[in-house]
């Protein structure tokens, strides 16, 4: 069961204490290619899954309430240090709660919060296959589902999901909150991913599943509204940057164990990697504050997050290369944590439309003027 902790500060303190155990479990989970059951239970025991709810629903507002951007950055960065697959599951859970608190009815918000406090976990599944995507037909109070979702993190293990579904018209998709285990069929992807094995990414067929109209969230097109749709990318960047931090920590420990900590070339590479990470952190502090507080112009928020996302991706890719060059062939040996961390991070970074994001962000500041200092 997910229990509440007094504040976001105490949740983060408890999370720091769990990091050694989470790091150890991450390697085993990857080798076995299984869901991180123990890791998720540990996070639940310190209230991580209820923390995103506002105080009214027994949480701390991390990821939902303005002013909690830095706490969310720290939370995702810490989890990313230990296990990016776990961070992916937590990020999706937080994103789903954010959608429900933004667009869902008060009754639905109450239903979801009770489910999470009782040990539930949310997925966020919005990717349709090229054919046979998820659709729904409303008949009075009943809704009949048909079709699939793919790239579903936590498929077969999360207890509830927020999904997008089309009604078969030209209207934008609607959002739905679904109780899982109601007849849907879960299967692996046609070809497995090389990284992020513990995220248990699969595909789900909802054909024949029914739900009720009160599980619809908001209006058609709400999921695509800006700035939330694009600005949410900063949260995955926060987790990814945590993954880089984990690699740098291993780089430091392994070089020291070899007696190479004083080598000038190794120090230069380590320094460059540190610069990359710290630059990414500064970008995310600024972009996260804008995205969570929502006080700036939406187009500016989207552009700032786009730059931050691009900067973090570059920092991570540079950091991986520097670590691999420093550690040599050992960085590719499968029992070395750096091999897993690099593979997970490279997979995690493959977010859609990276070139387009940079194009639009640069174009905004080209036309509107430089970001204010």
């Amino acid at each position: 069961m997910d229990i509440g902790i007094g504040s976001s500060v105490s949740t983060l303190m408890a999370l720091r204490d769990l990091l050694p155990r989470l790091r150890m479990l991450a390697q085993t989970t990857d080798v076995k290619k299984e869901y991180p059951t123990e890791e998720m239970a540990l996070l639940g025991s310190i209230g991580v899954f209820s923390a995103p709810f506002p105080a009214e629903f027994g949480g701390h507002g991390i990821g939902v309430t303005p002013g909690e951007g830095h706490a969310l950055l720290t939370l995702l960065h810490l989890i990313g240090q230990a296990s990016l697959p776990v961070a992916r599951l937590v990020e999706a859970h937080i994103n789903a709660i954010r959608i429900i608190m933004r667009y869902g009815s008060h009754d639905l918000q109450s239903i979801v919060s009770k489910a999470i406090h009782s040990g539930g976990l949310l997925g966020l599944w919005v990717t349709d296959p090229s054919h046979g995507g998820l659709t729904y037909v409303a008949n009075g109070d009943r809704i009949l589902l048909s079709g699939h979702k793919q790239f579903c993190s936590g498929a077969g293990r999360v207890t509830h999901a927020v999904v997008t579904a089309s009604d078969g018209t030209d209207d934008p998709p609607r959002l739905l909150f679904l109780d899982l285990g109601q007849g849907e069929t879960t299967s692996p992807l046609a070809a497995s991913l090389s990284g992020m094995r513990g995220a248990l990414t699969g595909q789900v067929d909802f054909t024949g599943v029914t739900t009720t109209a009160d599980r619809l969230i908001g209006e058609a097109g709400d999921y695509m509204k800006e700035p939330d749709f694009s600005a949410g990318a900063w949260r995955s960047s926060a987790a990814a940057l945590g993954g880089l931090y984990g690699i740098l920590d291993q780089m430091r420990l392994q070089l020291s164990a070899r007696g190479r900590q004083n080598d000038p070339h190794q120090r230069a590479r380590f320094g460059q990697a540190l610069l990359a990470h710290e630059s990414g952190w500064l970008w995310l502090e600024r972009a996260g504050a804008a995205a969570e507080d929502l006080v700036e112009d939406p187009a500016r928020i989207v552009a700032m997050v786009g730059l931050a996302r691009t900067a973090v991706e570059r920092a991570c890719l540079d950091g991986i290369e520097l670590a691999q060059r420093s550690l040599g062939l050992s960085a590719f040996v499968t029992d070395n944590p750096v091999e897993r961390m690099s593979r997970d991070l490279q997979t995690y970074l493959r977010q859609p439309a990276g070139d387009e994001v940079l194009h639009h962000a640069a174009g905004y500041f080209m036309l509107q003027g430089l970001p204010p200092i």
Side-chain angles (χ1 to χ4, degrees):
M1 176 179 290
D2 188 296
I3 63 172
I5 298 288
S7 68
S8 59
V9 173
S10 53
T11 299
L12 295 174
M13 290 175 61
L15 177 56
R16 290 182 190 276
D17 291 339
L18 285 180
L19 287 185
R21 179 64 178 165
L22 294 174
R23 290 190 187 102
M24 184 184 72
L25 291 168
Q27 195 75 2
T28 301
T29 298
D30 179 76
V31 170
K32 294 183 177 180
K33 301 181 182 180
E34 62 184 18
Y35 183 78
T37 301
E38 185 173 350
E39 295 96 309
M40 300 300 281
L42 288 169
L43 294 181
S45 72
I46 62 170
V48 166
F49 302 123
S50 59
F53 288 104
E56 176 187 359
F57 296 103
H60 313 313
I62 299 178
V64 173
T65 304
E68 289 289 343
H70 191 272
L72 180 56
L73 170 57
T74 304
L75 177 83
L76 291 171
H77 188 273
L78 285 171
I79 298 173
Q81 293 175 33
S83 171
L84 279 173
V86 172
R88 177 68 190 98
L89 295 166
V90 173
E91 181 211 347
H93 175 85
I94 293 172
N95 291 344
I97 291 176
R98 186 184 178 94
I99 287 171
I100 291 165
M101 300 310 299
R102 183 67 56 111
Y103 301 116
S105 68
H106 189 272
D107 286 346
L108 182 60
Q109 292 168 359
S110 180
I111 289 170
V112 175
S113 66
K114 288 176 182 177
I116 302 310
H117 281 294
S118 297
L121 181 69
L122 285 167
L124 179 60
W125 300 339
V126 297
T127 304
D128 287 319
S130 56
H131 302 286
L134 186 60
T135 61
Y136 73 94
V137 175
N139 184 8
D141 186 51
R142 304 299 297 176
I143 290 177
L144 175 65
L145 300 175
S146 180
H148 299 71
K149 285 294 179 184
Q150 65 176 0
F151 298 117
C152 303
S153 298
R157 300 304 295 267
V158 300
T159 59
H160 307 80
V162 171
V163 302
T164 49
S166 171
D167 65 358
T169 70
D170 292 333
D171 290 340
R174 290 288 296 271
L175 288 157
L176 279 162
F177 170 74
L178 300 177
D179 302 311
L180 299 178
Q182 305 299 311
E184 74 277 1
T185 303
T186 300
S187 58
L189 297 176
S192 61
L193 299 173
S194 61
M196 301 291 291
R197 294 169 177 171
L200 216 65
T201 302
Q203 52 194 3
V204 182
D205 183 357
F206 288 97
T207 301
V209 173
T210 62
T211 187
T212 52
D214 60 357
R215 298 306 178 93
L216 287 165
I217 304 170
E219 303 297 330
D222 277 349
Y223 176 67
M224 302 288 289
K225 283 183 178 178
E226 298 291 10
D228 275 357
F229 177 70
S230 297
W234 89 270
R235 295 187 285 276
S236 61
S237 294
L241 194 68
L244 174 60
Y245 189 94
I247 290 173
L248 299 190
D249 194 41
Q250 281 294 316
M251 182 180 176
R252 179 184 66 86
L253 292 172
Q254 292 184 32
L255 288 174
S256 296
R258 299 179 191 179
R260 303 294 305 281
Q261 68 272 24
N262 295 321
D263 182 278
H265 304 294
Q266 297 290 18
R267 285 195 172 189
R269 280 191 286 266
F270 186 64
Q272 290 170 346
L274 281 176
L275 286 170
H277 175 272
E278 293 305 304
S279 296
W281 179 269
L282 293 173
W283 269 108
L284 289 179
E285 282 191 317
R286 185 167 185 178
E292 297 305 302
D293 296 347
L294 298 175
V295 295
E296 297 186 38
D297 173 64
R300 182 182 291 274
I301 293 172
V302 170
M304 184 62 70
V305 171
L307 291 181
R309 169 184 159 180
T310 306
V312 168
E313 179 186 27
R314 188 69 264 160
C316 290
L317 292 174
D318 288 346
I320 290 170
E321 180 184 1
L322 288 162
Q324 290 173 340
R325 287 174 64 86
S326 289
L327 299 177
L329 195 58
S330 68
F332 297 87
V333 177
T334 55
D335 65 353
N336 187 331
V338 171
E339 186 275 334
R340 167 184 56 82
M341 292 174 169
S342 299
R343 177 164 35 83
D344 284 348
L345 183 52
Q346 287 170 318
T347 303
Y348 202 105
L349 289 171
R350 289 308 104 217
Q351 302 295 321
D355 293 335
E356 183 179 347
V357 166
L358 179 58
H359 170 79
H360 284 294
Y364 175 87
F365 290 112
M366 178 77 76
L367 299 176
Q368 301 298 325
L370 298 180
I373 301 301

